Amino acid sequence: MTDQAPADAQPADAQPLVVTTDDAGITTIRFNRPETLNALSKEVALGLLDALRTAQTDGSRAIVLTGGDRAFSSGADLQAKRDSAQTGSILTEINQIMVLLRDSAVPTIAAVSGAAAGVGCSLALACDYVIMNEKSFLMLAFTKIGLMPDGGASALVAASAGRHRAMRMALTAERVYGERAFEWGLASELVSEQTPLERAAEVAASFAAGPPLSLAATRRAVNAETLGTLQNVLDRETVGQGMLLSSEDYVEGTTAFREKRAATFTGR
């Protein structure tokens, strides 16, 4: 197994994103910010984008995206969201990641343990194959802090679960745990005897041993039909999110979140 981090990088346990590729060509990308439940910072978004791009040309035969036991990813961290109100950088990078996941020539697998919330939910659903267990959950928590879904969530959830279930998740911010996620079509498999990552390794090995041209053509065909308008969705979300990030409701929502109290929204 090879580690793609540069020689002078931090030890793997200290890196916010750990990328490895084994001899079978399986690239595993692991979020490693447990103190934030693997929230996406600008550094992580840039690292993920680079890792996904590299996997398109380095001989990788499958990509596994995963986090830790407590969280796959809790979404973009609040500081990254605040910075986006000024620069738009994190949303730009996230949108590039989503398009790359859709268009990847290499099959992608999400091994979801714990929370996949906000853009973490988008990242999981943008993968070709989603593996969950009964304790893992998907959540669109945006309205809790006065925002709207981004990272393509408004298309990704609807493409898998349908309009009304997408509306339910987006408007209520409820947690959709593994069993229900599987029933709704948001997960490819629900595992109980293995961890999601263990099962993902098996699926990745199957993809890695499969016909790469055939797999690439198959995923392109399915994604063209179901996610062909993803770029338009991302553009629309970016405009809407930009307006909401400058609203008083967003300030109140994030303040209430930090203070662990119910928010009082005014529509301003």
Side-chain angles (χ1 to χ4, degrees):
M1 179 177 289
T2 59
D3 193 326
Q4 296 179 11
D8 59 350
Q10 299 170 304
D13 286 347
Q15 295 170 15
L17 192 73
V18 179
V19 183
T20 57
T21 301
D22 68 15
D23 294 338
I26 299 171
T27 293
T28 301
I29 305 172
R30 177 169 63 86
F31 301 120
N32 188 38
R33 299 184 71 210
E35 72 282 0
T36 66
L37 295 180
N38 292 328
L40 264 69
S41 62
K42 180 179 180 180
E43 179 185 10
V44 172
L46 285 169
L48 177 57
L49 187 58
D50 182 65
L52 291 171
R53 284 172 172 162
T54 299
Q56 305 305 305
T57 59
D58 68 353
S60 292
R61 300 286 293 269
I63 299 169
V64 175
L65 193 59
T66 192
D69 292 339
R70 294 180 61 207
F72 174 80
S73 172
S74 59
D77 66 24
L78 294 182
Q79 183 60 51
K81 285 289 190 184
R82 285 193 291 272
D83 291 345
S84 291
Q86 303 300 320
T87 68
S89 62
I90 189 72
L91 282 178
T92 297
E93 291 148 5
I94 287 170
N95 290 352
Q96 291 173 341
I97 289 166
M98 295 305 166
V99 172
L100 185 50
L101 283 170
R102 182 196 64 181
D103 296 340
S104 172
V106 183
T108 55
I109 305 156
V112 180
S113 293
V119 77
C121 178
S122 299
L123 285 168
L125 295 182
C127 291
D128 303 317
Y129 209 92
V130 181
I131 302 172
M132 301 177 67
N133 60 23
E134 291 182 351
K135 294 183 179 179
S136 53
F137 65 88
L138 306 172
M139 181 183 186
L140 299 180
F142 299 94
T143 57
K144 292 290 187 182
I145 55 172
L147 294 179
M148 64 175 287
D150 59 25
S154 49
L156 292 163
V157 178
S160 295
R163 175 176 175 266
H164 285 104
R165 285 169 174 167
M167 283 289 190
R168 174 172 167 176
M169 287 181 66
L171 296 176
T172 68
E174 73 172 295
R175 298 181 178 187
V176 178
Y177 283 91
E179 184 174 0
R180 175 170 287 173
F182 179 68
E183 291 174 352
W184 283 9
L186 295 166
S188 309
E189 286 193 35
L190 182 68
V191 296
S192 57
E193 301 300 321
Q194 299 170 286
T195 68
L197 184 56
E198 289 170 341
R199 177 56 184 154
E202 294 177 350
V203 175
S206 174
F207 289 162
L213 297 180
S214 171
L215 293 175
T218 298
R219 63 180 313 286
R220 280 197 303 269
V222 173
N223 283 341
E225 178 63 27
T226 57
L227 297 174
T229 62
L230 180 61
Q231 186 60 62
N232 291 337
V233 171
L234 293 168
D235 292 342
R236 187 161 51 246
E237 290 176 345
T238 299
V239 171
Q241 202 74 297
M243 292 187 295
L244 293 171
L245 282 165
S246 62
S247 70
E248 293 180 16
D249 276 353
Y250 171 65
V251 174
E252 166 62 11
T254 54
T255 300
F257 176 80
R258 289 192 298 271
E259 295 176 353
K260 294 181 172 58
R261 61 172 174 82
T264 301
F265 295 119
T266 62
R268 294 196 297 270

